[in-house]
Amino acid sequence: MLVIETVSGLRDIINPLRKEGKSIGFVPTMGALHEGHLSLVQKCKEDNDICVVSIFVNPTQFNNKEDLEKYPRNVDKDVAALDSAGADMVFTPSVEEIYPEPDNRQFDFGQLDKVMEGKFRPGHFNGVAQVVSRLFDIVNPARSYFGEKDFQQLAIIREMVRQYKIPVEIIAMPIKREESGLAMSSRNERLSEKQRSDASNIYKVLAESKAIAKDKSAADIIDYVVDSVNQTESLDVEYFDIVDGNTLQSITNWTDTDYAVGCIAVFCGEVRLIDNITYFKKLNNGTVTTVYI
Ligand code: PAF
């Protein structure tokens, strides 16, 4: 597996491969890799001739300086994990390499980035769009892979690709969970053992809420989730919203949408965790599916 630090170095290797007709798959990450990331690598390898992974902790998407400083970093361990997973190339650029000049671009995603994460982390998605568009420009992949844990990020990246006509197929992969149900996240590394166990209540409550959703209104489910998660002393819900999975706009009645997703952000001590659950998704043929649970 090649580890490449510069944009020119990466382009020099990838461009001839693309010219030879090899398909390039791309998994962007911020490192601190877990099984969720490795499932993206696995799928990328299955779908493409070449699997490129980037490890870059993008400063422009952190609205909180302390969060950026505390973000877990362990490049050597990540490189070893990617080697075992069979990635072909790892791109580990410096900040100067990605941003030789400050990136002042302002994206407009309409209402998609005004809600949930966008409301509580101002500027976050603009930073995500800056780095992902820059990485797409460097790697020029046929396909790129993202986890559904970052549900809103996925919607925004799809919108960016649509608006800027970027020729890349965006592939979403389901959330990987620990045995306890806790959604895998690089941030879990910052949890103590007790916090990790407490944090598993987030998914427990989401799954319970789905089991009772049929007999309750969406508004009742919101109250149920917020109250139940907050009952664990170390957990503090920042928001829980039930939204249309395409527009990300809140719904109050189940009949408002064909695709209902509950999205949550919770503080466990100082660590901010997100998760989501699909209540239902109606397919074009009228079938109702309750995917991913
Ligand atoms: O999901 C992430 O890890 C990051 O937001 C991404 C997509 C790698 C951009 O920095």
Side-chain angles (χ1 to χ4, degrees), residues 16-50:
L17 291 168
R18 194 181 306 97
K19 277 201 189 114
E20 274 172 35
K22 300 251 191 288
S23 59
I24 313 290
F26 178 48
V27 182
T29 83
M30 296 206 299
L33 303 181
H34 49 71
E35 269 180 50
H37 295 110
L38 299 180
S39 73
L40 305 182
V41 172
Q42 190 53 48
K43 176 80 171 121
C44 177
K45 274 168 52 69
E46 281 164 26
D47 294 351
N48 301 281
D49 297 317
I50 307 286

PDB file of all heavy atoms in Angstrom, residues 16-50:
ATOM      1  N   PRO A  16      -2.352   8.251 -14.492  1.00  0.00           N
ATOM      2  CA  PRO A  16      -2.077   7.205 -15.494  1.00  0.00           C
ATOM      3  C   PRO A  16      -2.985   5.974 -15.314  1.00  0.00           C
ATOM      4  O   PRO A  16      -3.422   5.374 -16.313  1.00  0.00           O
ATOM      5  CB  PRO A  16      -0.617   6.827 -15.224  1.00  0.00           C
ATOM      6  CG  PRO A  16      -0.046   7.968 -14.446  1.00  0.00           C
ATOM      7  CD  PRO A  16      -1.174   8.598 -13.707  1.00  0.00           C
ATOM      8  N   LEU A  17      -3.305   5.647 -14.055  1.00  0.00           N
ATOM      9  CA  LEU A  17      -4.172   4.477 -13.817  1.00  0.00           C
ATOM     10  C   LEU A  17      -5.557   4.724 -14.403  1.00  0.00           C
ATOM     11  O   LEU A  17      -6.158   3.855 -15.031  1.00  0.00           O
ATOM     12  CB  LEU A  17      -4.285   4.194 -12.307  1.00  0.00           C
ATOM     13  CG  LEU A  17      -3.010   3.688 -11.639  1.00  0.00           C
ATOM     14  CD1 LEU A  17      -3.136   3.710 -10.123  1.00  0.00           C
ATOM     15  CD2 LEU A  17      -2.708   2.261 -12.109  1.00  0.00           C
ATOM     16  N   ARG A  18      -6.051   5.946 -14.190  1.00  0.00           N
ATOM     17  CA  ARG A  18      -7.377   6.284 -14.735  1.00  0.00           C
ATOM     18  C   ARG A  18      -7.337   6.216 -16.254  1.00  0.00           C
ATOM     19  O   ARG A  18      -8.261   5.718 -16.898  1.00  0.00           O
ATOM     20  CB  ARG A  18      -7.796   7.669 -14.247  1.00  0.00           C
ATOM     21  CG  ARG A  18      -9.285   7.929 -14.478  1.00  0.00           C
ATOM     22  CD  ARG A  18      -9.748   9.293 -14.045  1.00  0.00           C
ATOM     23  NE  ARG A  18      -9.441   9.623 -12.674  1.00  0.00           N
ATOM     24  CZ  ARG A  18      -8.393  10.342 -12.288  1.00  0.00           C
ATOM     25  NH1 ARG A  18      -7.541  10.800 -13.183  1.00  0.00           N
ATOM     26  NH2 ARG A  18      -8.186  10.602 -11.022  1.00  0.00           N
ATOM     27  N   LYS A  19      -6.237   6.717 -16.835  1.00  0.00           N
ATOM     28  CA  LYS A  19      -6.113   6.695 -18.320  1.00  0.00           C
ATOM     29  C   LYS A  19      -6.111   5.273 -18.848  1.00  0.00           C
ATOM     30  O   LYS A  19      -6.600   4.994 -19.937  1.00  0.00           O
ATOM     31  CB  LYS A  19      -4.834   7.417 -18.743  1.00  0.00           C
ATOM     32  CG  LYS A  19      -5.030   8.913 -18.804  1.00  0.00           C
ATOM     33  CD  LYS A  19      -3.988   9.600 -19.685  1.00  0.00           C
ATOM     34  CE  LYS A  19      -4.096  11.099 -19.522  1.00  0.00           C
ATOM     35  NZ  LYS A  19      -2.934  11.705 -18.890  1.00  0.00           N
ATOM     36  N   GLU A  20      -5.543   4.364 -18.036  1.00  0.00           N
ATOM     37  CA  GLU A  20      -5.529   2.937 -18.443  1.00  0.00           C
ATOM     38  C   GLU A  20      -6.910   2.305 -18.346  1.00  0.00           C
ATOM     39  O   GLU A  20      -7.086   1.133 -18.641  1.00  0.00           O
ATOM     40  CB  GLU A  20      -4.651   2.124 -17.460  1.00  0.00           C
ATOM     41  CG  GLU A  20      -3.193   2.087 -17.756  1.00  0.00           C
ATOM     42  CD  GLU A  20      -2.446   1.415 -16.590  1.00  0.00           C
ATOM     43  OE1 GLU A  20      -2.971   0.470 -15.959  1.00  0.00           O
ATOM     44  OE2 GLU A  20      -1.337   1.887 -16.294  1.00  0.00           O
ATOM     45  N   GLY A  21      -7.880   3.081 -17.796  1.00  0.00           N
ATOM     46  CA  GLY A  21      -9.244   2.561 -17.698  1.00  0.00           C
ATOM     47  C   GLY A  21      -9.572   1.974 -16.331  1.00  0.00           C
ATOM     48  O   GLY A  21     -10.636   1.372 -16.156  1.00  0.00           O
ATOM     49  N   LYS A  22      -8.667   2.149 -15.369  1.00  0.00           N
ATOM     50  CA  LYS A  22      -8.945   1.610 -14.025  1.00  0.00           C
ATOM     51  C   LYS A  22      -9.941   2.534 -13.302  1.00  0.00           C
ATOM     52  O   LYS A  22      -9.816   3.764 -13.384  1.00  0.00           O
ATOM     53  CB  LYS A  22      -7.654   1.542 -13.202  1.00  0.00           C
ATOM     54  CG  LYS A  22      -6.581   0.652 -13.812  1.00  0.00           C
ATOM     55  CD  LYS A  22      -6.422  -0.602 -12.969  1.00  0.00           C
ATOM     56  CE  LYS A  22      -5.216  -1.421 -13.319  1.00  0.00           C
ATOM     57  NZ  LYS A  22      -5.313  -2.128 -14.600  1.00  0.00           N
ATOM     58  N   SER A  23     -10.900   1.935 -12.607  1.00  0.00           N
ATOM     59  CA  SER A  23     -11.863   2.762 -11.857  1.00  0.00           C
ATOM     60  C   SER A  23     -11.286   3.085 -10.480  1.00  0.00           C
ATOM     61  O   SER A  23     -10.719   2.215  -9.805  1.00  0.00           O
ATOM     62  CB  SER A  23     -13.203   2.048 -11.726  1.00  0.00           C
ATOM     63  OG  SER A  23     -13.019   0.822 -11.068  1.00  0.00           O
ATOM     64  N   ILE A  24     -11.448   4.359 -10.098  1.00  0.00           N
ATOM     65  CA  ILE A  24     -10.885   4.817  -8.826  1.00  0.00           C
ATOM     66  C   ILE A  24     -12.026   5.004  -7.830  1.00  0.00           C
ATOM     67  O   ILE A  24     -12.965   5.776  -8.082  1.00  0.00           O
ATOM     68  CB  ILE A  24     -10.147   6.180  -8.990  1.00  0.00           C
ATOM     69  CG1 ILE A  24      -9.202   6.186 -10.206  1.00  0.00           C
ATOM     70  CG2 ILE A  24      -9.448   6.604  -7.691  1.00  0.00           C
ATOM     71  CD1 ILE A  24      -7.973   5.344 -10.102  1.00  0.00           C
ATOM     72  N   GLY A  25     -11.943   4.316  -6.699  1.00  0.00           N
ATOM     73  CA  GLY A  25     -12.903   4.520  -5.607  1.00  0.00           C
ATOM     74  C   GLY A  25     -12.218   5.290  -4.495  1.00  0.00           C
ATOM     75  O   GLY A  25     -11.003   5.166  -4.301  1.00  0.00           O
ATOM     76  N   PHE A  26     -12.996   6.096  -3.761  1.00  0.00           N
ATOM     77  CA  PHE A  26     -12.388   6.995  -2.787  1.00  0.00           C
ATOM     78  C   PHE A  26     -13.166   7.014  -1.477  1.00  0.00           C
ATOM     79  O   PHE A  26     -14.390   7.167  -1.464  1.00  0.00           O
ATOM     80  CB  PHE A  26     -12.348   8.411  -3.387  1.00  0.00           C
ATOM     81  CG  PHE A  26     -11.797   9.454  -2.467  1.00  0.00           C
ATOM     82  CD1 PHE A  26     -10.613   9.265  -1.771  1.00  0.00           C
ATOM     83  CD2 PHE A  26     -12.467  10.671  -2.301  1.00  0.00           C
ATOM     84  CE1 PHE A  26     -10.102  10.239  -0.928  1.00  0.00           C
ATOM     85  CE2 PHE A  26     -11.964  11.648  -1.467  1.00  0.00           C
ATOM     86  CZ  PHE A  26     -10.787  11.435  -0.769  1.00  0.00           C
ATOM     87  N   VAL A  27     -12.433   6.853  -0.372  1.00  0.00           N
ATOM     88  CA  VAL A  27     -13.027   6.931   0.975  1.00  0.00           C
ATOM     89  C   VAL A  27     -12.344   8.077   1.730  1.00  0.00           C
ATOM     90  O   VAL A  27     -11.212   7.921   2.192  1.00  0.00           O
ATOM     91  CB  VAL A  27     -12.825   5.610   1.755  1.00  0.00           C
ATOM     92  CG1 VAL A  27     -13.487   5.701   3.131  1.00  0.00           C
ATOM     93  CG2 VAL A  27     -13.344   4.411   0.975  1.00  0.00           C
ATOM     94  N   PRO A  28     -13.014   9.235   1.848  1.00  0.00           N
ATOM     95  CA  PRO A  28     -12.410  10.322   2.634  1.00  0.00           C
ATOM     96  C   PRO A  28     -12.646  10.085   4.123  1.00  0.00           C
ATOM     97  O   PRO A  28     -13.756   9.723   4.522  1.00  0.00           O
ATOM     98  CB  PRO A  28     -13.165  11.571   2.168  1.00  0.00           C
ATOM     99  CG  PRO A  28     -14.421  11.093   1.554  1.00  0.00           C
ATOM    100  CD  PRO A  28     -14.298   9.629   1.244  1.00  0.00           C
ATOM    101  N   THR A  29     -11.618  10.283   4.939  1.00  0.00           N
ATOM    102  CA  THR A  29     -11.782  10.114   6.393  1.00  0.00           C
ATOM    103  C   THR A  29     -10.974  11.182   7.128  1.00  0.00           C
ATOM    104  O   THR A  29     -10.116  11.829   6.540  1.00  0.00           O
ATOM    105  CB  THR A  29     -11.271   8.733   6.900  1.00  0.00           C
ATOM    106  OG1 THR A  29      -9.851   8.798   7.091  1.00  0.00           O
ATOM    107  CG2 THR A  29     -11.614   7.598   5.975  1.00  0.00           C
ATOM    108  N   MET A  30     -11.250  11.268   8.423  1.00  0.00           N
ATOM    109  CA  MET A  30     -10.422  12.131   9.273  1.00  0.00           C
ATOM    110  C   MET A  30      -9.582  11.255  10.208  1.00  0.00           C
ATOM    111  O   MET A  30      -9.127  11.711  11.255  1.00  0.00           O
ATOM    112  CB  MET A  30     -11.292  13.101  10.073  1.00  0.00           C
ATOM    113  CG  MET A  30     -12.032  14.073   9.156  1.00  0.00           C
ATOM    114  SD  MET A  30     -12.463  15.635   9.934  1.00  0.00           S
ATOM    115  CE  MET A  30     -13.510  15.091  11.245  1.00  0.00           C
ATOM    116  N   GLY A  31      -9.414   9.992   9.837  1.00  0.00           N
ATOM    117  CA  GLY A  31      -8.576   9.096  10.640  1.00  0.00           C
ATOM    118  C   GLY A  31      -9.307   8.591  11.873  1.00  0.00           C
ATOM    119  O   GLY A  31     -10.535   8.615  11.926  1.00  0.00           O
ATOM    120  N   ALA A  32      -8.528   8.088  12.870  1.00  0.00           N
ATOM    121  CA  ALA A  32      -9.089   7.421  14.056  1.00  0.00           C
ATOM    122  C   ALA A  32     -10.085   6.365  13.573  1.00  0.00           C
ATOM    123  O   ALA A  32     -11.262   6.351  13.956  1.00  0.00           O
ATOM    124  CB  ALA A  32      -9.732   8.424  15.011  1.00  0.00           C
ATOM    125  N   LEU A  33      -9.593   5.510  12.706  1.00  0.00           N
ATOM    126  CA  LEU A  33     -10.469   4.594  11.966  1.00  0.00           C
ATOM    127  C   LEU A  33     -11.054   3.498  12.840  1.00  0.00           C
ATOM    128  O   LEU A  33     -10.407   3.009  13.767  1.00  0.00           O
ATOM    129  CB  LEU A  33      -9.681   3.965  10.812  1.00  0.00           C
ATOM    130  CG  LEU A  33      -9.048   4.952   9.834  1.00  0.00           C
ATOM    131  CD1 LEU A  33      -8.309   4.212   8.730  1.00  0.00           C
ATOM    132  CD2 LEU A  33     -10.089   5.892   9.241  1.00  0.00           C
ATOM    133  N   HIS A  34     -12.282   3.120  12.517  1.00  0.00           N
ATOM    134  CA  HIS A  34     -12.954   2.018  13.210  1.00  0.00           C
ATOM    135  C   HIS A  34     -13.608   1.145  12.139  1.00  0.00           C
ATOM    136  O   HIS A  34     -13.461   1.408  10.937  1.00  0.00           O
ATOM    137  CB  HIS A  34     -13.966   2.551  14.222  1.00  0.00           C
ATOM    138  CG  HIS A  34     -14.890   3.594  13.650  1.00  0.00           C
ATOM    139  ND1 HIS A  34     -15.875   3.298  12.743  1.00  0.00           N
ATOM    140  CD2 HIS A  34     -14.944   4.936  13.823  1.00  0.00           C
ATOM    141  CE1 HIS A  34     -16.515   4.398  12.410  1.00  0.00           C
ATOM    142  NE2 HIS A  34     -15.963   5.419  13.037  1.00  0.00           N
ATOM    143  N   GLU A  35     -14.354   0.142  12.616  1.00  0.00           N
ATOM    144  CA  GLU A  35     -14.943  -0.815  11.656  1.00  0.00           C
ATOM    145  C   GLU A  35     -15.887  -0.162  10.648  1.00  0.00           C
ATOM    146  O   GLU A  35     -16.068  -0.664   9.542  1.00  0.00           O
ATOM    147  CB  GLU A  35     -15.720  -1.882  12.423  1.00  0.00           C
ATOM    148  CG  GLU A  35     -14.891  -3.080  12.788  1.00  0.00           C
ATOM    149  CD  GLU A  35     -15.740  -4.090  13.535  1.00  0.00           C
ATOM    150  OE1 GLU A  35     -16.841  -4.427  13.062  1.00  0.00           O
ATOM    151  OE2 GLU A  35     -15.285  -4.510  14.617  1.00  0.00           O
ATOM    152  N   GLY A  36     -16.496   0.952  11.058  1.00  0.00           N
ATOM    153  CA  GLY A  36     -17.380   1.672  10.124  1.00  0.00           C
ATOM    154  C   GLY A  36     -16.593   2.118   8.903  1.00  0.00           C
ATOM    155  O   GLY A  36     -17.006   1.896   7.764  1.00  0.00           O
ATOM    156  N   HIS A  37     -15.429   2.738   9.152  1.00  0.00           N
ATOM    157  CA  HIS A  37     -14.591   3.176   8.025  1.00  0.00           C
ATOM    158  C   HIS A  37     -14.160   1.963   7.196  1.00  0.00           C
ATOM    159  O   HIS A  37     -14.136   2.014   5.972  1.00  0.00           O
ATOM    160  CB  HIS A  37     -13.317   3.860   8.532  1.00  0.00           C
ATOM    161  CG  HIS A  37     -13.550   5.146   9.267  1.00  0.00           C
ATOM    162  ND1 HIS A  37     -13.347   5.281  10.614  1.00  0.00           N
ATOM    163  CD2 HIS A  37     -13.953   6.350   8.817  1.00  0.00           C
ATOM    164  CE1 HIS A  37     -13.613   6.520  10.965  1.00  0.00           C
ATOM    165  NE2 HIS A  37     -13.991   7.192   9.905  1.00  0.00           N
ATOM    166  N   LEU A  38     -13.793   0.886   7.902  1.00  0.00           N
ATOM    167  CA  LEU A  38     -13.265  -0.275   7.168  1.00  0.00           C
ATOM    168  C   LEU A  38     -14.346  -0.927   6.302  1.00  0.00           C
ATOM    169  O   LEU A  38     -14.045  -1.495   5.248  1.00  0.00           O
ATOM    170  CB  LEU A  38     -12.620  -1.276   8.129  1.00  0.00           C
ATOM    171  CG  LEU A  38     -11.421  -0.683   8.922  1.00  0.00           C
ATOM    172  CD1 LEU A  38     -10.810  -1.713   9.854  1.00  0.00           C
ATOM    173  CD2 LEU A  38     -10.346  -0.097   8.004  1.00  0.00           C
ATOM    174  N   SER A  39     -15.620  -0.763   6.718  1.00  0.00           N
ATOM    175  CA  SER A  39     -16.695  -1.297   5.858  1.00  0.00           C
ATOM    176  C   SER A  39     -16.798  -0.463   4.573  1.00  0.00           C
ATOM    177  O   SER A  39     -17.147  -0.982   3.510  1.00  0.00           O
ATOM    178  CB  SER A  39     -18.034  -1.342   6.599  1.00  0.00           C
ATOM    179  OG  SER A  39     -18.565  -0.041   6.766  1.00  0.00           O
ATOM    180  N   LEU A  40     -16.475   0.830   4.665  1.00  0.00           N
ATOM    181  CA  LEU A  40     -16.472   1.667   3.451  1.00  0.00           C
ATOM    182  C   LEU A  40     -15.334   1.228   2.526  1.00  0.00           C
ATOM    183  O   LEU A  40     -15.488   1.139   1.306  1.00  0.00           O
ATOM    184  CB  LEU A  40     -16.289   3.148   3.796  1.00  0.00           C
ATOM    185  CG  LEU A  40     -17.261   3.802   4.792  1.00  0.00           C
ATOM    186  CD1 LEU A  40     -16.938   5.291   4.955  1.00  0.00           C
ATOM    187  CD2 LEU A  40     -18.696   3.645   4.356  1.00  0.00           C
ATOM    188  N   VAL A  41     -14.173   0.932   3.142  1.00  0.00           N
ATOM    189  CA  VAL A  41     -13.005   0.493   2.362  1.00  0.00           C
ATOM    190  C   VAL A  41     -13.334  -0.834   1.657  1.00  0.00           C
ATOM    191  O   VAL A  41     -13.050  -1.017   0.469  1.00  0.00           O
ATOM    192  CB  VAL A  41     -11.766   0.352   3.277  1.00  0.00           C
ATOM    193  CG1 VAL A  41     -10.607  -0.296   2.535  1.00  0.00           C
ATOM    194  CG2 VAL A  41     -11.354   1.711   3.834  1.00  0.00           C
ATOM    195  N   GLN A  42     -13.966  -1.724   2.401  1.00  0.00           N
ATOM    196  CA  GLN A  42     -14.328  -3.035   1.851  1.00  0.00           C
ATOM    197  C   GLN A  42     -15.210  -2.875   0.603  1.00  0.00           C
ATOM    198  O   GLN A  42     -14.953  -3.460  -0.451  1.00  0.00           O
ATOM    199  CB  GLN A  42     -15.060  -3.824   2.948  1.00  0.00           C
ATOM    200  CG  GLN A  42     -15.302  -5.284   2.649  1.00  0.00           C
ATOM    201  CD  GLN A  42     -14.007  -6.003   2.253  1.00  0.00           C
ATOM    202  OE1 GLN A  42     -12.987  -5.844   2.941  1.00  0.00           O
ATOM    203  NE2 GLN A  42     -14.039  -6.727   1.151  1.00  0.00           N
ATOM    204  N   LYS A  43     -16.245  -2.032   0.758  1.00  0.00           N
ATOM    205  CA  LYS A  43     -17.189  -1.833  -0.356  1.00  0.00           C
ATOM    206  C   LYS A  43     -16.478  -1.138  -1.525  1.00  0.00           C
ATOM    207  O   LYS A  43     -16.687  -1.488  -2.696  1.00  0.00           O
ATOM    208  CB  LYS A  43     -18.367  -0.987   0.156  1.00  0.00           C
ATOM    209  CG  LYS A  43     -19.378  -0.616  -0.879  1.00  0.00           C
ATOM    210  CD  LYS A  43     -20.334  -1.768  -1.156  1.00  0.00           C
ATOM    211  CE  LYS A  43     -21.482  -1.319  -2.046  1.00  0.00           C
ATOM    212  NZ  LYS A  43     -21.556  -2.070  -3.292  1.00  0.00           N
ATOM    213  N   CYS A  44     -15.601  -0.202  -1.191  1.00  0.00           N
ATOM    214  CA  CYS A  44     -14.849   0.534  -2.227  1.00  0.00           C
ATOM    215  C   CYS A  44     -13.993  -0.450  -3.034  1.00  0.00           C
ATOM    216  O   CYS A  44     -13.901  -0.362  -4.254  1.00  0.00           O
ATOM    217  CB  CYS A  44     -13.995   1.594  -1.530  1.00  0.00           C
ATOM    218  SG  CYS A  44     -12.949   2.542  -2.625  1.00  0.00           S
ATOM    219  N   LYS A  45     -13.366  -1.384  -2.332  1.00  0.00           N
ATOM    220  CA  LYS A  45     -12.529  -2.386  -3.011  1.00  0.00           C
ATOM    221  C   LYS A  45     -13.377  -3.282  -3.915  1.00  0.00           C
ATOM    222  O   LYS A  45     -12.979  -3.645  -5.015  1.00  0.00           O
ATOM    223  CB  LYS A  45     -11.816  -3.257  -1.969  1.00  0.00           C
ATOM    224  CG  LYS A  45     -10.506  -2.659  -1.477  1.00  0.00           C
ATOM    225  CD  LYS A  45      -9.982  -3.388  -0.252  1.00  0.00           C
ATOM    226  CE  LYS A  45      -9.884  -4.889  -0.408  1.00  0.00           C
ATOM    227  NZ  LYS A  45      -8.849  -5.346  -1.347  1.00  0.00           N
ATOM    228  N   GLU A  46     -14.578  -3.648  -3.417  1.00  0.00           N
ATOM    229  CA  GLU A  46     -15.443  -4.524  -4.220  1.00  0.00           C
ATOM    230  C   GLU A  46     -15.872  -3.849  -5.523  1.00  0.00           C
ATOM    231  O   GLU A  46     -15.960  -4.478  -6.564  1.00  0.00           O
ATOM    232  CB  GLU A  46     -16.721  -4.874  -3.426  1.00  0.00           C
ATOM    233  CG  GLU A  46     -16.519  -5.970  -2.389  1.00  0.00           C
ATOM    234  CD  GLU A  46     -17.669  -6.002  -1.392  1.00  0.00           C
ATOM    235  OE1 GLU A  46     -18.795  -5.579  -1.719  1.00  0.00           O
ATOM    236  OE2 GLU A  46     -17.401  -6.433  -0.251  1.00  0.00           O
ATOM    237  N   ASP A  47     -16.130  -2.532  -5.424  1.00  0.00           N
ATOM    238  CA  ASP A  47     -16.730  -1.818  -6.562  1.00  0.00           C
ATOM    239  C   ASP A  47     -15.717  -1.274  -7.562  1.00  0.00           C
ATOM    240  O   ASP A  47     -16.101  -0.865  -8.657  1.00  0.00           O
ATOM    241  CB  ASP A  47     -17.535  -0.598  -6.064  1.00  0.00           C
ATOM    242  CG  ASP A  47     -18.755  -0.983  -5.245  1.00  0.00           C
ATOM    243  OD1 ASP A  47     -19.088  -2.177  -5.201  1.00  0.00           O
ATOM    244  OD2 ASP A  47     -19.368  -0.074  -4.662  1.00  0.00           O
ATOM    245  N   ASN A  48     -14.441  -1.139  -7.152  1.00  0.00           N
ATOM    246  CA  ASN A  48     -13.476  -0.393  -7.978  1.00  0.00           C
ATOM    247  C   ASN A  48     -12.175  -1.170  -8.163  1.00  0.00           C
ATOM    248  O   ASN A  48     -11.843  -2.045  -7.373  1.00  0.00           O
ATOM    249  CB  ASN A  48     -13.152   0.945  -7.291  1.00  0.00           C
ATOM    250  CG  ASN A  48     -14.404   1.775  -7.086  1.00  0.00           C
ATOM    251  OD1 ASN A  48     -14.890   2.407  -8.007  1.00  0.00           O
ATOM    252  ND2 ASN A  48     -14.952   1.725  -5.881  1.00  0.00           N
ATOM    253  N   ASP A  49     -11.393  -0.744  -9.167  1.00  0.00           N
ATOM    254  CA  ASP A  49     -10.074  -1.364  -9.376  1.00  0.00           C
ATOM    255  C   ASP A  49      -9.083  -0.861  -8.331  1.00  0.00           C
ATOM    256  O   ASP A  49      -8.215  -1.608  -7.887  1.00  0.00           O
ATOM    257  CB  ASP A  49      -9.542  -1.016 -10.772  1.00  0.00           C
ATOM    258  CG  ASP A  49     -10.447  -1.584 -11.861  1.00  0.00           C
ATOM    259  OD1 ASP A  49     -10.866  -2.747 -11.708  1.00  0.00           O
ATOM    260  OD2 ASP A  49     -10.753  -0.864 -12.832  1.00  0.00           O
ATOM    261  N   ILE A  50      -9.202   0.426  -7.985  1.00  0.00           N
ATOM    262  CA  ILE A  50      -8.236   1.034  -7.062  1.00  0.00           C
ATOM    263  C   ILE A  50      -9.003   1.698  -5.914  1.00  0.00           C
ATOM    264  O   ILE A  50      -9.982   2.416  -6.158  1.00  0.00           O
ATOM    265  CB  ILE A  50      -7.404   2.144  -7.782  1.00  0.00           C
ATOM    266  CG1 ILE A  50      -6.749   1.618  -9.063  1.00  0.00           C
ATOM    267  CG2 ILE A  50      -6.396   2.801  -6.844  1.00  0.00           C
ATOM    268  CD1 ILE A  50      -5.567   0.704  -8.833  1.00  0.00           C
TER     269      ILE A  50
END
